[in-house]
Amino acid sequence: MESKGFIRVSLKKINSNHFKIKAKIDGITGDFILDTGASNSCLGIHAVSHFKLEVEDSEVKAAGAGATDMLTQTAAAKRVSIGKWTIKNKEFVVFDLSHVNHALAVVSTQPVHGIIGADILKTGRAVIDYGRNCVYLK
């Protein structure tokens, strides 16, 4: 994959059997779950101050495993980097991810700042190598 111009990024399998990935938003590093089933990349409301982002209200409601009809906001990042791969001007859905972090705590896993979803994975033409615990982005 690397010979075809893709960038390899390591994934860490966590106790919940999810993959955790590091990403930078406007130069600030955070922990994220990689979720191919999430249509949009998300930030927990608690993470907005960590990344020094401003939020705007949204009329869209979020739903996910264990939660529905959650009120959302949006936050725009100038730059998102995963490894050496970068995307500019990315909007995140912002909502309460406490149900996600609670589920992670139950299996003795550290909380995450958000979720990297299909929107970013599609933009990066992601190829996930489950055998090598990595994702390739282009």
Side-chain angles (χ1 to χ4, degrees):
M1 295 299 299
E2 292 163 285
S3 66
K4 295 180 181 179
F6 284 80
I7 296 168
R8 180 183 170 146
V9 181
S10 295
L11 300 171
K12 180 181 179 187
K13 191 170 184 183
I14 57 177
N15 293 341
S16 63
N17 285 326
H18 290 96
F19 282 109
K20 190 183 272 191
I21 189 167
K22 296 246 183 230
K24 287 185 180 180
I25 297 178
D26 295 338
I28 300 169
T29 302
D31 291 319
F32 294 80
I33 287 176
L34 185 77
D35 187 350
T36 60
S39 55
N40 293 294
S41 296
C42 309
L43 292 174
I45 191 71
H46 69 282
V48 171
S49 60
H50 173 80
F51 293 111
K52 300 177 183 167
L53 297 174
E54 294 182 21
V55 296
E56 293 183 15
D57 288 334
S58 170
E59 296 199 13
V60 175
K61 293 202 175 177
T68 59
D69 290 331
M70 295 176 284
L71 296 175
T72 67
Q73 296 176 301
T74 59
K78 293 178 185 137
R79 181 183 201 101
V80 178
S81 301
I82 301 172
K84 293 181 181 178
W85 181 85
T86 299
I87 184 174
K88 294 181 180 179
N89 302 318
K90 176 66 189 130
E91 189 169 271
F92 286 86
V93 175
V94 177
F95 63 99
D96 184 2
L97 287 180
S98 61
H99 66 288
V100 171
N101 284 320
H102 175 72
L104 293 175
V106 167
V107 293
S108 302
T109 299
Q110 294 297 309
V112 294
H113 295 98
I115 297 167
I116 299 296
D119 56 342
I120 287 179
L121 297 173
K122 185 174 180 180
T123 299
R125 297 176 51 196
V127 176
I128 300 171
D129 186 333
Y130 290 97
R132 293 188 174 100
N133 293 345
C134 66
V135 61
Y136 295 93
L137 298 166
K138 186 172 186 178

